[in-house]
Amino acid sequence: MKARIAVLGGDGIGPEVTAEAVRVLQAVASKYGHDFEFSEALIGGAAIDASGSALPPRTIDACRESAATLLGAVGGPKWSDPGARVRPEQGLLELRRTLGLFANVRPVRTMESMLDASPLKPEVITGADILVVRELTGGIYFGRKSRTAHEAEDVCTYTTDEVERVTRVAGRLAMGRRRRIVSVDKANVLETSRLWRAVVERVLRDEFPQVEFEHMLVDAAAMHLIRRPASFDVLLTENMFGDILTDEASMIAGSLGLLPSASLGAGTNGLYEPIHGSAPDIAGRGIANPYGTILSAAMMLKLSLGLETEAAAVETAVEDAVSAGVRTADIALAGKATVSSREAGAAVVERLLSSR
Ligand code: NAD
């Protein structure tokens, strides 16, 4: 297959981790006979420094003309002045809007060799394999806001269209997994949640009859997620609940550096990035964990390019490297030597190329 992939390294450790993911994608291309063309562009603070904009037109074009976009991270102390006219995160928000991406997808899986890294007990998290699908463009974060000296309001709005489209993404993803969806809301209190519940139910019944689903109140979901994480398959939720639950779910895996994510829309184009930020405290030292970005590239292979075998091979190569002890400092085993970002990337490439 021939595909163009936009690569936006961004700020801090972003360019260091995307470089390793690109190396892995090049290895995938050579092993499986694909032709990937990489189109690099600026976003975030690096783009502000170069052009005054967090998302220059050339970057938008590069992403629009590509099958998918791989992103590192944006932001850092240099651009964090709250009074600044342009901020790095605006680039990311604008990019999601421009590409029509409305569903954020975060898999959380426990790797056997990482069970001890989680603050939760190994027997609780063993076998956890959850996919959180979060609505990304509606709800209270984007509703009307106002404030006087004595009162403030943030309005939470959802339309049926917004709920339908994110439910379809969850339904499609559930079909490729264990076909179970838990839809999270607060329907005992919120009107938007009652609409959410009705629409989710209709779309899943009519369009995904093979998918089993249940509704769960967000407070119960927060509890069950750490009490019995292995019982969840796909967890579908609105923007703010998803923001909170995805951070909670990331603790099941135990390490920020290992977790990938995707932002998807109605088509196959998507934005793939690790869940961590630009880690200014370790940027420029070549020690950042690239595995989360490499696993994001694996999600891209599967969800945007339809290359399931290749995606699975990359995931296996990462798991093998981690369990063989090829670990950056953030996931180091006590008393064991750590590797650089470059060495971690090379270990994945080596395993990928030597696998059958
Ligand atoms: P962070 O995720 O950048 O870092 C938190 C801690 O985890 C730090 O100690 C860091 O060194 C460590 N860490 C993170 N990723 C790592 C990796 N791959 N390997 C090894 N260690 C890693 O979060 P933060 O410190 O709250 O934010 C730093 C900057 O990143 C801020 O400007 C923030 O706005 C931005 N940020 C961007 C995104 C994004 O681009 N999507 C997401 C979160 C934060």
Side-chain angles (χ1 to χ4, degrees):
M1 130 175 301
K2 200 173 158 67
R4 181 179 296 184
I5 296 167
V7 180
L8 316 182
D11 305 316
I13 61 169
E16 301 168 35
V17 291
T18 49
E20 298 314 318
V22 167
R23 239 187 279 286
V24 171
L25 288 170
Q26 279 163 338
V28 167
S30 87
K31 182 178 167 97
Y32 295 91
H34 302 306
D35 180 4
F36 296 155
E37 189 189 321
F38 299 94
S39 178
E40 292 203 14
L42 296 175
I43 190 169
I48 294 174
D49 287 353
S51 70
S53 158
L55 187 69
R58 201 192 92 60
T59 304
I60 298 178
D61 290 345
C63 297
R64 281 217 180 108
E65 288 159 11
S66 297
T69 298
L70 182 70
L71 177 95
V74 297
K78 183 174 174 195
W79 308 279
S80 65
D81 174 6
R85 199 180 48 82
V86 251
R87 295 172 55 86
E89 310 84 67
Q90 286 167 357
L92 194 50
L93 288 175
E94 184 61 20
L95 182 60
R96 287 186 182 137
R97 202 186 55 76
T98 308
L99 296 178
L101 308 175
F102 53 78
N104 184 250
V105 178
R106 281 202 201 177
V108 176
R109 268 176 53 207
T110 47
M111 289 186 194
E112 192 68 37
S113 60
M114 288 292 297
L115 286 180
D116 288 337
S118 171
L120 301 177
K121 292 188 193 115
E123 62 267 31
V124 172
I125 59 172
T126 295
D129 180 1
I130 309 169
L131 191 75
V132 185
V133 179
R134 164 190 170 195
E135 202 290 327
L136 205 52
T137 59
I140 197 167
Y141 292 173
F142 293 95
R144 188 184 71 239
K145 295 171 189 300
S146 71
R147 178 153 166 203
T148 65
H150 307 290
E151 199 179 84
E153 68 169 1
D154 297 281
V155 177
C156 184
T157 310
Y158 266 109
T159 65
T160 47
D161 281 357
E162 286 171 327
V163 185
E164 279 170 5
R165 63 188 192 176
V166 74
T167 304
R168 288 193 183 104
V169 170
R172 278 199 296 272
L173 293 169
M175 286 301 289
R177 298 173 47 96
R178 302 192 301 281
R179 301 187 178 186
R180 284 208 325 267
I181 294 181
V182 171
S183 171
V184 174
D185 61 41
K186 188 72 182 168
N188 52 344
V189 184
L190 300 176
E191 211 48 61
T192 40
S193 282
R194 289 193 267 269
L195 176 88
W196 179 277
R197 211 171 251 224
V199 175
V200 165
E201 211 159 303
R202 171 169 54 76
V203 171
L204 293 179
R205 284 237 163 89
D206 292 353
E207 301 175 30
F208 301 93
Q210 304 96 321
V211 172
E212 255 180 62
F213 67 93
E214 68 174 293
H215 301 291
M216 194 178 280
L217 296 175
V218 63
D219 36 350
M223 183 179 71
H224 291 310
L225 204 50
I226 51 169
R227 208 174 66 172
R228 49 174 179 86
S231 69
F232 289 90
D233 180 16
V234 174
L235 203 149
L236 164 65
T237 190
E238 60 94 75
N239 204 344
M240 182 170 68
F241 298 157
D243 190 11
I244 299 165
L245 292 178
T246 44
D247 268 23
E248 184 189 353
S250 71
M251 283 293 98
I252 296 166
S255 165
L256 215 54
L258 281 174
L259 292 177
S261 79
S263 297
L264 306 174
T268 57
N269 202 325
L271 174 69
Y272 299 83
E273 54 177 318
I275 72 158
H276 61 73
S278 60
D281 52 336
I282 58 163
R285 292 166 54 195
I287 58 167
N289 185 342
Y291 291 144
T293 315
I294 295 172
L295 291 171
S296 303
M299 286 185 86
M300 170 193 288
L301 290 170
K302 179 171 172 179
L303 300 177
S304 281
L305 306 182
L307 301 174
E308 295 213 9
T309 306
E310 289 81 341
V314 172
E315 284 172 7
T316 305
V318 170
E319 290 202 28
D320 286 354
V322 173
S323 63
V326 184
R327 297 184 178 209
T328 43
D330 57 312
I331 54 169
L333 291 165
K336 289 272 169 61
T338 59
V339 301
S340 65
S341 317
R342 187 74 201 264
E343 287 163 328
V348 176
V349 167
E350 188 189 305
R351 283 167 174 76
L352 184 75
L353 294 179
S354 63
S355 68
R356 277 193 297 125

